[in-house]
Amino acid sequence: MVEVTVTPQSSLADRAVQVVVRGLSPSQLVTLRAWLTDEHGERFQARAFYRADEAGEVDAAQHAALGGNYAGVWPMGLFWFLQPDSLFRRLVKRDVAGSPFLVHLEVFDGLCLVTGPQDKLLASCTAERWYVGPGVQRVPIREGRVRGALLLPPGPGPFPAVIDLFGGAGGLIEFRAGLLASRGFAVLALAFFAYDDLPRTLTQLDLEYFEEAANLLLQHPKVRGPGLGVVGVSKGGEVALAMAAFLPQVVATVWINGTAFLHGNPLTYKGLHIPPIPYYTERMLFTELGAMDNSAIFADPRDPACSASAIPVEKIQGKVLFVVGEADRSFNSKLFAQLATARMRQDAYRLLSYPGAGHLIEPPGSPLCSVSSLRGSPRPVVWGGEPQAHAKAQEHSWQEIIQFLELHLGPAASIKL
């Protein structure tokens, strides 16, 4: 009797699980397939080919995949290398509190390149991958101008506080906030355009909005101050760096593949105006699949004409963790990080730089998205990255991010799941 198990069967999406197949014949060739359907009905799947050992077992933590979506020993390969059936789809959990992703694991006899009725299914099981741990509370935020969602760990607190920001797609994205809340942080997933009654498009960065959000979070009775952290990716990284420069309550900043200058939109704050560097959209290139490669639309930030648009990072009083994907095709994030750190005190930052990692460095469990459709963009956008290097970068950087936030905000109580 062939059996496939995932242990634990229910887990947080950033935690490792053990995938084991038992009851096979010695040296039997099998195909392991994982698949899930997202909230839009899009299917993502990965498969790998294994040969059972002398005991008739396949243990993904010990045995090398011979081929498929990956090769070699990848204990989490069936989860990390999921790919969409349709081009240009990105796997993003929207309803973080209401349901998990259900990942179906199947074992087929022999080499199964595409799944059809002729394939011999030997065993199957289902694993739950949650983006919040038990007891995490989600509170919609609509106070003053601030729009978002507050994710609170179980218990009375007080908890270290973090604001979580995404980029140019706008809207409200909560999956990283849910995972951070499950690590013991009180996290405000903050929208800043294209959500609720916020502006539909981003015309300027009004830093007073982000200051209002920071003060609102710090006033919460379950939040431990006096400072807070900010995590931002892409445009959110640009915002996070500006918050660190101007808002003294920001004591720990995680910048993921952002910039160090204002681009496309000016920054305003209490009479201050930082002009943006314009985008040179006529320089974009189209890939063979018709996606936009935007890496050339940025002016060289080393040009003296760009100096007025620099975020004044030398004013940052807290600490900054720069996370760089060296294969970022959205923009030259490594250069922006180097230019920023050159103007900062050496004890004010750490720089993590990952060869082969793309733009969308996320918690482990999010498969590489190297190109995807983007709200407001007429064509899909290239993000870059190589699957295996990107997966390793996500696993390593996530642990570093959590340790960095705990170091500078105080310890957080992680939830077991």
Side-chain angles (χ1 to χ4, degrees):
M1 185 73 177
V2 179
E3 177 188 38
V4 57
T5 57
V6 177
T7 309
Q9 184 270 334
S10 183
S11 60
L12 286 164
D14 62 344
R15 310 293 173 98
V17 295
Q18 187 177 23
V19 178
V20 176
V21 184
R22 297 181 177 89
L24 299 168
S25 301
S27 302
Q28 183 176 351
L29 180 65
V30 292
T31 298
L32 270 60
R33 176 191 182 223
W35 63 274
L36 64 81
T37 304
D38 73 5
E39 289 137 320
H40 297 293
E42 295 290 339
R43 188 173 64 177
F44 293 73
Q45 60 177 315
R47 67 186 65 216
F49 314 127
Y50 287 90
R51 203 170 279 284
D53 64 14
E54 289 306 304
E57 295 186 2
V58 171
D59 183 343
Q62 299 183 36
H63 298 156
L66 307 175
N69 286 94
Y70 59 94
V73 179
W74 286 89
M76 293 295 294
L78 290 167
F79 296 82
W80 289 357
F81 301 122
L82 290 164
Q83 291 184 343
D85 283 2
S86 304
L87 287 174
F88 311 135
R89 297 292 189 262
R90 177 183 174 193
L91 186 62
V92 176
K93 190 73 175 79
R94 298 292 176 180
D95 176 17
V96 298
S99 63
F101 275 142
L102 294 176
V103 184
H104 304 269
L105 272 85
E106 299 169 335
V107 183
F108 295 95
D109 184 35
L111 204 63
C112 178
L113 301 182
V114 293
T115 306
Q118 74 283 358
D119 296 305
K120 185 180 178 184
L121 179 65
L122 301 176
S124 64
C125 70
T126 303
E128 295 181 354
R129 299 289 277 173
W130 286 91
Y131 286 81
V132 295
V136 170
Q137 182 185 7
R138 180 191 183 274
V139 183
I141 297 297
R142 206 174 192 274
E143 294 190 38
R145 292 190 298 161
V146 179
R147 302 290 180 265
L150 178 62
L151 289 112
L152 290 168
F159 307 108
V162 174
I163 291 176
D164 191 32
L165 300 165
F166 279 79
L172 182 61
I173 301 175
E174 304 174 39
F175 69 87
R176 189 169 59 205
L179 292 172
L180 285 170
S182 303
R183 299 274 185 167
F185 298 94
V187 188
L188 174 59
L190 183 63
F192 53 101
F193 74 102
Y195 177 75
D196 197 24
D197 58 353
L198 294 173
R200 300 313 300 164
T201 59
L202 189 62
T203 55
Q204 68 173 17
L205 289 177
D206 176 4
L207 204 61
E208 290 180 50
Y209 172 80
F210 299 93
E211 183 178 47
E212 184 180 342
N215 291 335
L216 179 70
L217 182 56
L218 284 170
Q219 287 162 11
H220 194 282
K222 288 191 175 183
V223 162
R224 181 176 74 217
L228 54 73
V230 181
V231 179
V233 62
S234 194
K235 190 70 172 182
E238 188 177 300
V239 175
L241 206 58
M243 292 175 71
F246 290 103
L247 306 182
Q249 56 268 62
V250 176
V251 298
T253 302
V254 180
W255 173 105
I256 305 169
N257 288 329
T259 76
F261 295 73
L262 273 298
H263 285 87
N265 325 101
L267 180 143
T268 61
Y269 181 61
K270 296 180 177 176
L272 176 77
H273 179 91
I274 299 180
I277 302 171
Y279 296 118
Y280 294 93
T281 49
E282 66 275 14
R283 298 179 184 171
M284 74 172 65
L285 296 172
F286 298 144
T287 69
E288 60 187 23
L289 293 175
M292 297 189 305
D293 184 334
N294 289 326
S295 54
I297 72 172
F298 292 83
D300 187 340
R302 294 165 293 193
D303 186 328
C306 296
S307 60
S309 301
I311 295 170
V313 293
E314 61 277 0
K315 293 184 177 182
I316 293 175
Q317 297 301 306
K319 307 293 186 183
V320 181
L321 178 65
F322 291 91
V323 179
V324 170
E326 295 184 14
D328 186 347
R329 293 269 296 280
S330 190
F331 41 76
N332 191 344
S333 50
K334 186 176 183 180
L335 175 62
F336 284 123
Q338 290 169 337
L339 293 174
T341 56
R343 297 181 10 244
M344 296 172 66
R345 301 186 328 271
Q346 268 198 308
D347 66 346
Y349 70 87
R350 279 188 66 210
L351 173 60
L352 301 174
S353 195
Y354 297 99
H359 185 65
L360 297 176
I361 294 178
E362 298 179 336
S366 291
L368 166 67
C369 178
S370 61
V371 55
S372 73
S373 301
L374 181 70
R375 179 177 20 210
S377 172
R379 288 174 179 247
V381 176
V382 174
W383 306 117
E386 302 155 14
Q388 296 193 1
H390 192 89
K392 288 179 178 178
Q394 289 192 156
E395 182 180 34
H396 184 264
S397 64
W398 185 238
Q399 300 306 319
E400 293 291 325
I401 287 167
I402 290 161
Q403 289 172 18
F404 171 82
L405 293 172
E406 287 195 323
L407 177 64
H408 299 295
L409 301 177
S414 185
I415 297 172
K416 295 285 185 283
L417 179 61

